[in-house]
Amino acid sequence: MGSSPTAPTTRVMNTYARLPLEIVKGKGAWIQDLKGNNYLDAVAGIATCTLGHSDRVMNWYLNKQLNKIQHTSNLYQVPEQEALAAWITTHSCFDKVFFCNSGAEANEAAIKLARKHAHQVRGIERPVILTAEAGFHGRTLATISATGQSKYHRGFEPMVNGFRFFAYNNISSFNSLLAATESEGPRVAAILIEPLQGEGGVNPGDVVFFKHLRECCDAYNILLIFDEVQTGVGRSGELWGYNKLGIEPDAFTLAKGLGGGIPIGALAIKQKHDLLCPGDHASTFGGNPFACRAGLTVMKELERRNLTHHAKRMGRLLQELLTELVKSYPEHLEGLRGWGLLQGLILKKGGLTAPVLVKQAMLEKLLIVPAGLEVVRFLPPLTIKPCELREAVRRLERAIQLLLD
Ligand SMILES: *Cc1c(COP(=O)(O)O)cnc(C)c1O
């Protein structure tokens, strides 16, 4: 006990490789550290702070809610939950919403719904959910099992049964997995997939591939479930990621951007899949008045300020600026991929790596985030201004120059 030289300097568990930056406050697309340095924030709490930091309207509504009531539980009616569900369902192809606290939890709810649908509607005894390689669905046991990346499984085996993987955007890989699985009798309950793979390297979904998924799901009565934890809430330049693909899923999950930085997750479904009954699924905190007030404020402000359209325009500007940068450093930069304000700058193999560039950018007072070793991701608040995007790319260029010197 006491202070040996090896005593830990932190009492927080060592689950994160944190950068040495202590953030004390933020406003809009800017954050400030302990020493008073200002950073341009193109991470926005990993695509969560939709309206930017400490937004005036958000603060006003959250303060008002704190003075009214914060938490009551789902033993009682929650009017704020009803209001947020009403907003989501009138602005999407869905009819019903379940609220929880995170993306992984939203996917857990989706997985349970898919299994219940398979058992109850289709009489499948051992349902299988098909998901994509390089996907990401969260860090709980079922959601790492659903995540087609072995690095998230290692050390935590055995995985939860009932997930099989196909190559993203690859029709023949998907077809052979579907055929192999269905050859054992009806087995496939659902396809769980991101319309654009975020953590997996910013890979946008292909329209033809997703149309094919929709057709197969219709033919077999398989649920098509989109994980829109990262792509939802205006981030893609459309309100929902599925708007980019010209098809409607049977259900989708939301989290990240929905609460504007307050923890909330949601599963939204079409009426005909409303199968979960009292006792089937629950959450103590899920959809509490404070979190739903945050979600409702984000959605209403998105609408009032036309932020989805703004995200589309700013996404185009960011693409132009980054394309110029790629042209200036053809030996080190491969290109870019993305939708709206979810853009990935692809680094050439064998040169700069994403974690190194992210660290150097931080020294240049720009926050960006890796998506794997070869992609750096831009996820700024949807409220970001053109001059701020220009400044962000200037800072990134300085970071690249310094690393190449
Ligand atoms: C971040 C993310 C999750 C996990 O969300 P948590 O809130 O961290 O549980 C799941 N799916 C996708 C696509 C994500 O980007």
Side-chain angles (χ1 to χ4, degrees):
M1 298 303 284
S3 55
S4 79
T6 54
T9 55
T10 167
R11 297 291 175 178
V12 176
M13 278 172 70
N14 191 30
T15 56
Y16 303 100
R18 296 173 197 271
L19 292 163
L21 173 64
E22 281 184 80
I23 297 168
V24 291
K25 61 181 181 180
K27 192 76 199 163
W30 296 85
I31 61 102
Q32 198 177 85
D33 71 6
L34 264 178
K35 293 171 202 139
N37 295 310
N38 292 308
Y39 295 73
L40 195 41
D41 184 6
V43 177
I46 318 186
T48 61
C49 303
T50 307
L51 304 180
H53 299 286
S54 203
D55 179 74
R56 200 174 51 80
V57 178
M58 189 82 169
N59 288 355
W60 191 84
Y61 277 106
L62 291 184
N63 272 304
K64 202 167 112 164
Q65 188 66 49
L66 284 176
N67 286 313
K68 241 165 106 186
I69 194 143
Q70 294 148 32
H71 180 75
T72 56
S73 92
N74 288 303
L75 295 171
Y76 315 104
Q77 312 287 326
V78 181
E80 295 81 2
Q81 215 177 93
E82 293 295 334
L84 180 55
W87 198 98
I88 293 170
T89 53
T90 48
H91 293 81
S92 72
C93 62
F94 303 111
D95 306 298
K96 289 280 178 83
V97 187
F98 171 82
F99 290 105
C100 51
N101 310 288
S102 68
E105 275 182 68
N107 288 331
E108 289 273 351
I111 291 163
K112 283 179 73 175
L113 175 74
R115 285 187 171 194
K116 186 155 191 207
H117 179 263
H119 287 295
Q120 186 175 301
V121 177
R122 298 186 50 215
I124 297 174
E125 257 172 52
R126 290 182 305 137
V128 170
I129 295 174
L130 308 184
T131 80
E133 288 163 10
F136 182 78
H137 299 295
R139 297 296 207 128
T140 61
L141 260 183
T143 58
I144 59 173
S145 303
T147 291
Q149 302 191 56
S150 54
K151 69 174 179 189
Y152 294 112
H153 302 170
R154 227 168 283 133
F156 303 108
E157 298 87 353
M159 290 296 108
V160 173
N161 272 333
F163 296 97
R164 295 185 190 177
F165 308 103
F166 55 89
Y168 193 70
N169 280 345
N170 184 325
I171 290 182
S172 66
S173 165
F174 171 78
N175 283 349
S176 46
L177 181 64
L178 179 64
T181 310
E182 288 290 297
S183 73
E184 305 161 11
R187 293 287 310 267
V188 180
I191 298 165
L192 172 63
I193 190 165
E194 295 159 272
L196 170 153
Q197 293 186 317
E199 304 298 310
V202 192
N203 304 310
D206 175 66
V207 173
V208 175
F209 177 74
F210 275 81
K211 186 163 173 279
H212 179 72
L213 292 187
R214 183 65 274 174
E215 285 165 3
C216 290
C217 287
D218 290 340
Y220 289 78
N221 197 12
I222 293 169
L223 295 186
L224 182 58
I225 304 171
F226 277 11
D227 178 344
E228 293 226 29
V229 169
Q230 194 156 157
T231 54
V233 192
R235 174 103 355 228
S236 71
E238 300 290 338
L239 186 51
W240 315 114
Y242 74 78
N243 299 130
K244 297 285 291 185
L245 294 170
I247 55 159
E248 289 182 359
D250 297 295
F252 76 9
T253 54
L254 300 174
K256 292 198 166 83
L258 181 59
I262 304 302
I264 187 169
L267 165 67
I269 61 165
K270 296 204 179 197
Q271 180 68 51
K272 61 180 176 215
H273 306 305
D274 194 13
L275 301 172
L276 297 176
C277 308
D280 278 349
H281 199 49
S283 165
T284 298
F285 282 121
N288 85 4
F290 187 71
C292 285
R293 177 61 63 199
L296 197 57
T297 306
V298 167
M299 300 318 309
K300 285 189 166 170
E301 287 303 296
L302 208 70
E303 193 172 23
R304 193 178 66 83
R305 302 186 212 173
N306 207 359
L307 288 177
T308 301
H309 182 67
H310 181 72
K312 183 186 265 180
R313 282 181 47 235
M314 291 305 99
R316 252 188 241 130
L317 173 61
L318 181 58
Q319 273 179 336
E320 281 165 26
L321 295 166
L322 291 175
T323 302
E324 283 304 306
L325 195 67
V326 171
K327 280 188 197 148
S328 307
Y329 299 90
E331 261 130 64
H332 300 275
L333 304 180
E334 180 77 45
L336 74 156
R337 294 192 292 257
W339 288 343
L341 287 176
L342 203 179
Q343 295 289 333
L345 178 66
I346 323 300
L347 309 176
K348 282 238 158 101
K349 282 195 176 71
L352 297 172
T353 67
V356 167
L357 183 51
V358 164
K359 273 186 200 140
Q360 188 65 44
M362 196 183 81
L363 298 175
E364 293 306 310
K365 312 280 188 290
L366 167 67
L367 304 185
I368 47 179
V369 61
L373 278 181
E374 281 147 26
V375 181
V376 290
R377 223 174 345 161
F378 285 76
L379 306 160
L382 302 192
T383 51
I384 197 156
K385 301 184 187 98
C387 58
E388 291 168 335
L389 281 179
R390 290 198 180 87
E391 180 59 25
V393 176
R394 269 197 294 275
R395 290 180 185 200
L396 179 66
E397 177 158 20
R398 266 205 307 275
I400 292 172
Q401 274 168 357
L402 282 165
L403 285 171
L404 297 182
D405 275 353

